[in-house]
Amino acid sequence: MPEDTDWEVYKAPPKRTPVGERATSLPNPVEFFQAVFNNVIDRPVTLIREWIERQQNRNKFYYYHQQFRRVPDVSECVEGDYLCFFEAEAQWRRDRMVDREIVAIVRERFAACQHREGPNQFQNCAKEMEQLLQVTKAYQDKYGDLGAHGNARTCLMKQNTAGFILVSGVQTRYCMGQL
Amino acid sequence: MAARWLHRPAPGREGSAGAAAAPGATMAAALLLRAAAAWAARRAAGGAAGTARLLPPAAPARLPGTLAPVRHSSHGKRMFIIKATSFYDSRFLKLLRFYILLTGLPVAILITYVNIFIGEAELAEIPEGYVPDYWEYYKHPISRWIARYILDPPEKDYEKCMALLDVEAKKAEMRLMTLEARRLMRARGDGPWYHYETPDKNLTDDSFKSTPDN
C-alpha cells in the first residue's frame, strides 16, 4: 500500500475566521452531528489504535536509510575494467532513483501549495513553481532522452553530445539573425 | 368389502365414483359405529381413572392409514420441488472455499498478529559508530524476517555478481589473446602452431635418385 502523506508537513496556516455571534437560541445541528461522530466513531477507533500502539511499544525496533560509499564514476573507468563499470552503473542507478524521488517531492510540494492557496496560487506559490521548474530542467538535462534502457554509459555519451547541440543551436540562431 | 374400503383410503377413489354409493353408505355407518365405540371406551376409561382427567388418553381415535390431523401451523404440506441439480455447483464452491481457506486463514491470522502486536519499525538516524545489519534497512517485520533468514545479504549478491563478471572478463581476455597469438604464429611461423614437424632432411637417402639411369 502506498504510504500515507505526513499531515504535519503540508499543514495549512491556521484559519483567521472570526468566531460568530449566536443569532438564535436553537442548538446548532452541526455540533450534534460532530458529537455523534466523535463518540460513535472517533473515540472507539482512537481507543483501539492506542491499545495497539501500547502493544507495539513494548519492544520497539528501528530501520535506517542505507548509506552507500561513493565509488569511481563511469568516466573514471578504464576500458575493459568490467568490475569498475558494474560498480559505477550501480551507483548511477541509485543516484537516478534518488533524483526521481527528489523531483516527486518537489512536485508534491507544489501541488500542496496549489491546493492550499486555491485562487491565489499564481502569486503565492511562485517559489515552489520556480523550484519545480529548476529541478525538472536539471532532471531533463541529465536523464532526459536516454529512454527506458538508459544506463551510465549512455548518460555519459549524452553529456558529450550535449555540448555540440548547444553550440549548433547557437550557430543556427546566429545565422537566422535572432541573437 | 366394507373393511377393504376402510383400510385403503386415497387412490382410485375418483375412478370408482359410480360404485361408491353403496359401499359409501356402509362406510359411513361403520365410521359412526367406530366413533361411538371410541367415545364409549373413553367414557369408561375416564370413569375408571376417577377424578384425574387432565390428559387425553394415549391412543386417540384415528382414521386408519392416517398419521395426524392436518393443522397448517408450520410450512404447509411437504413438497418435492423438481429443479436442476445444485450438487456439482455447491460441491465446487465448498471445495474452493476449503482449499483457499486452508492456507489463507493461517496466513491472514499470522499477518494480523504481526501487524497488531509487533508493528512496523520506526525510522531513525544511524547512530555514531554503529553499522546496522543488512536486514535493519527494512520497515515491515515480515520483510525484515525474510531478508534475514531467507534471502542472502545484498553484499553477498553484489560480490557474487562481480565474481561472475570477473571470470567472464578473464575468459574474454584469454580468448582475445589466443586469437592474437594464433594470428602472429600463422604470420611469422616461429611458434609451435601452424606447422607440422617434418623429419630431418639429412636422414633421407637420395642415393638411388642420384643418377638419372636408376
Side-chain angles (χ1 to χ4, degrees), chain B:
Chain B
M1 224 11 140
R4 197 161 58 84
W5 275 109
L6 281 171
H7 286 295
R8 284 207 285 131
R13 189 165 302 187
E14 58 273 17
S16 56
T26 48
M27 190 177 70
L31 275 176
L32 197 57
L33 280 172
R34 274 179 77 96
W39 177 77
R42 270 204 302 272
R43 259 205 80 187
T51 54
R53 290 187 199 184
L54 298 166
L55 294 169
R62 286 189 194 290
L63 284 178
T66 57
L67 289 172
V70 175
R71 295 218 169 102
H72 291 293
S73 59
S74 66
H75 308 283
K77 187 173 162 187
R78 272 175 42 172
M79 308 285 282
F80 181 77
I81 299 173
I82 296 175
K83 58 184 187 347
T85 179
S86 56
F87 172 74
Y88 299 102
D89 296 334
S90 50
R91 181 180 69 177
F92 168 72
L93 290 172
K94 266 192 251 180
L95 288 173
L96 186 74
R97 282 196 300 264
F98 174 72
Y99 282 111
I100 286 177
L101 290 179
L102 186 64
T103 47
L105 265 182
V107 165
I109 290 171
L110 179 77
I111 293 178
T112 309
Y113 175 83
V114 165
N115 279 338
I116 291 180
F117 292 97
I118 299 179
E120 293 183 337
E122 274 182 34
L123 183 58
E125 289 290 329
I126 300 179
E128 283 295 324
Y130 176 66
V131 178
D133 289 305
Y134 63 97
W135 65 83
E136 288 176 0
Y137 294 115
Y138 297 93
K139 189 159 71 160
H140 196 270
I142 296 179
S143 312
R144 284 166 86 106
W145 187 86
I146 292 172
R148 187 172 175 181
Y149 292 108
I150 297 180
L151 299 177
D152 280 326
E155 293 87 9
K156 182 173 172 188
D157 286 334
Y158 195 81
E159 293 293 325
K160 271 164 72 170
C161 204
M162 294 231 281
L164 275 177
L165 281 176
D166 190 43
V167 164
E168 292 298 314
K170 290 201 164 87
K171 274 161 70 173
E173 202 188 322
M174 292 301 291
R175 284 171 189 152
L176 282 173
M177 287 204 297
T178 52
L179 282 175
E180 183 64 19
R182 270 175 158 188
R183 188 183 67 79
L184 286 171
M185 280 196 233
R186 198 186 180 100
R188 296 176 192 167
D190 58 354
W193 298 348
Y194 291 102
H195 68 271
Y196 290 105
E197 292 286 344
T198 49
D200 190 6
K201 63 174 163 47
N202 296 330
L203 297 172
T204 53
D205 177 19
D206 297 321
S207 53
F208 65 96
K209 290 191 178 201
S210 52
T211 47
D213 298 326
N214 286 2

Side-chain angles (χ1 to χ4, degrees), chain A residues 98-118:
Chain A
V98 167
D99 289 337
R100 282 176 175 166
E101 289 297 319
I102 290 173
V103 172
I105 287 171
V106 170
R107 198 188 297 136
E108 206 179 273
R109 271 192 213 165
F110 179 59
C113 179
Q114 255 188 338
H115 180 75
R116 254 199 331 259
E117 302 290 338

